[in-house]
Amino acid sequence: MSVQPLEVLYTAVATAENGRDGRVASDDGKLDVVVNPPKELGGSGAGTNPEQLFAAGYSACFQGALGVVARQEKADISGSTVTAEVGLGKLPNGGFGLKVALSASIPNVDRDTALALVEKAHQVCPYSNATRGNIEVALTVA
């Protein structure tokens, strides 16, 4: 798969200090959070962690993509939610990797329509396009 050229419309900038046990802040000051490894990984769990930040970004982005698709399809997605679960684990080569489970709840459409909307949103979402072929992403409709 080749990299396609991109016309950049917006650039987010964030800087981390002390990696997974420190602080992350955006250049505009709107995001400034303490990050700590979760207790499950031997950390204090006192702050957020990169996986939670990724889950928040992916779920918000996917919800936005779902809105784009729903407008095109004239589908009512009011009251819908998207939940992202991001798993961190060891890869066979000794490195670390991620896997994602996205679950959409779309109460105002039937299940088949919801599944079709989620599949189409997965083709539109920038996070889905960035992760496609790199990590496992499972899609479900709640």
Side-chain angles (χ1 to χ4, degrees):
M1 184 159 100
S2 64
V3 176
Q4 296 182 22
L6 179 71
E7 177 189 346
V8 175
L9 302 174
Y10 169 76
T11 300
V13 178
T15 302
E17 299 171 6
N18 297 320
R20 289 181 161 273
D21 207 0
R23 178 178 161 261
V24 177
S26 61
D27 65 334
D28 62 5
K30 292 181 181 178
L31 177 72
D32 191 342
V33 295
V34 172
V35 290
N36 300 114
K39 290 182 179 181
E40 295 87 345
L41 298 178
S44 70
T48 189
N49 60 66
E51 291 70 39
Q52 288 175 325
L53 294 170
F54 187 70
Y58 203 161
S59 63
C61 188
F62 199 90
Q63 178 74 34
L66 190 59
V68 168
V69 170
R71 283 188 293 282
Q72 292 170 347
E73 301 289 323
K74 297 182 178 26
D76 179 7
I77 64 159
S78 59
S80 66
T81 60
V82 174
T83 301
E85 295 180 26
V86 175
L88 170 70
K90 292 181 181 180
L91 293 170
N93 69 5
F96 293 90
L98 300 173
K99 70 186 251 181
V100 175
L102 292 173
S103 177
S105 173
I106 311 172
N108 295 324
V109 299
D110 62 74
R111 183 166 181 77
D112 288 341
T113 300
L115 287 168
L117 291 170
V118 165
E119 286 293 336
K120 288 177 183 176
H122 191 46
Q123 299 306 310
V124 172
C125 176
Y127 278 64
S128 292
N129 288 328
T131 59
R132 186 170 292 109
N134 298 310
I135 66 171
E136 178 186 338
V137 177
L139 304 173
T140 58
V141 172

